[in-house]
Amino acid sequence: MSTTQHPRTCGPGPRQWPRMSALSHPASCSATLIRDFRKFTFGNRNGHRTTRITPRLLGPRWQSGSPGYPPRAREPESPMPADRDDTPCPACRLPGWLCVCAHAPRVATRTPLLLVVHVHDLGRTSNTARLLALAVRDAAVICHGVFPAQADPASHLPRGVTPVVLFPGRGARPLTPELVASLPSPPALVVPDGNWKQAGKMVKRLPLLAGAVKVALPARDFAGNALRRNRPGHRMSTYEAVAQALAVLEGGAVAGPLLDFYRRATDRMLLARGKLRSGDVYGGLDERSTDVLAGPRTGVNREENADRHPGTGGT
């Protein structure tokens, strides 16, 4: 009886795989392709489709190194020591040994800044509103979506200003010096912070945001790392958008210190996630962070480590 041939592996198809033993499995079928076919769907005589999920074929019977299977590559060892303290800083939300609060520029701006952050996005480690509260002096941060509801966001703005909402939706106008000069009063920058759906609902439901002037920014011109995926390439974080908007409202000298602090914070967060090497962190690391990284797992001599930290012992 002939067996079905799978086009990707030139061997028996998925219907015959669960019945084969490790010795009869063709060597031309790689382990990666086997993982891709754990769920099979077949059609029967009545026109219905049946789904069958087979057990993973790389269990005890399919060990790495058997005939037809190359040795499995070892995962790279994490550069983080096992005994580090990951308690987050209450201000920047970075691990305590990577706290970046001491590098906050505390920029003073003429334009009032109000950040309306969604409650589901405020607690995420990739949220950048907390960094703006550290970097920009007198920046106000309010949470939207909590119960009971907080006060009206308009109460956090001074009198005699024109709210300008940074939201690149339908009807948004490009933020330019000409637009700022045409406003009846000095502007106040209001930024809804959250994903696209959350920010859109805040703009519709909050009277301050719904009746304000909507502005948009040009494409992303910052070449640093990002904490979230940016597949289109032109999107930017809330921190980057505010820095670029303040550069239009206040001048280019304001954006420099803000982006410098942002690069320090994002690189340290990527280091804590294991996605960046310590030598590639922008601005370097503090002495405390260096001491945490200089643990036994990084290859430091035990005698030198004992001299640096008395009482730990060299054995």
Side-chain angles (χ1 to χ4, degrees), residues 11 37 57 61 66 102 112 116 119-120 138 167 171 214 216 218 266:
F37 294 96
L57 300 183
R61 294 191 307 142
S66 59
V116 185
V119 62
H120 291 163
D138 298 331
F167 182 73
K214 313 297 188 304
T266 53

Side-chain angles (χ1 to χ4, degrees), residues 83-254:
D83 56 347
R84 72 184 188 278
D85 184 13
D86 288 333
T87 304
C89 171
C92 66
R93 301 299 298 173
L94 285 168
W97 60 281
L98 286 174
C99 179
V100 76
C101 296
H103 301 279
R106 305 297 297 170
V107 176
T109 60
R110 301 184 305 271
T111 305
L113 176 61
L114 175 61
L115 302 169
V116 185
V117 189
H118 197 273
V119 62
H120 291 163
D121 200 77
L122 185 60
R124 302 184 62 180
T125 57
S126 58
N127 182 268
T128 56
R130 65 188 185 280
L131 299 178
L132 283 169
L134 291 172
V136 180
R137 189 176 302 175
D138 298 331
V141 180
I142 61 174
C143 186
H144 174 74
V146 296
F147 182 83
Q150 295 186 358
D152 185 14
S155 61
H156 295 269
L157 296 178
R159 296 182 179 180
V161 295
T162 302
V164 176
V165 178
L166 188 58
F167 182 73
R170 181 177 300 179
R173 304 166 60 182
L175 182 60
T176 58
E178 292 75 16
L179 175 63
V180 177
S182 64
L183 298 177
S185 58
L189 188 60
V190 183
V191 184
D193 188 20
N195 59 34
W196 183 259
K197 184 177 181 180
Q198 294 167 351
K201 288 184 177 181
M202 286 189 286
V203 171
K204 293 180 180 180
R205 295 177 179 178
L206 295 178
L208 174 65
L209 279 67
V213 180
K214 313 297 188 304
V215 296
L217 297 171
R220 181 176 186 258
D221 58 354
F222 180 65
N225 296 321
L227 295 177
R228 299 181 183 177
R229 292 181 179 179
N230 186 11
R231 293 180 178 178
H234 62 275
R235 298 177 182 176
M236 63 186 79
S237 65
T238 301
Y239 192 106
E240 297 174 72
V242 171
Q244 192 169 341
L246 290 178
V248 178
L249 299 173
E250 303 280 337
V254 177

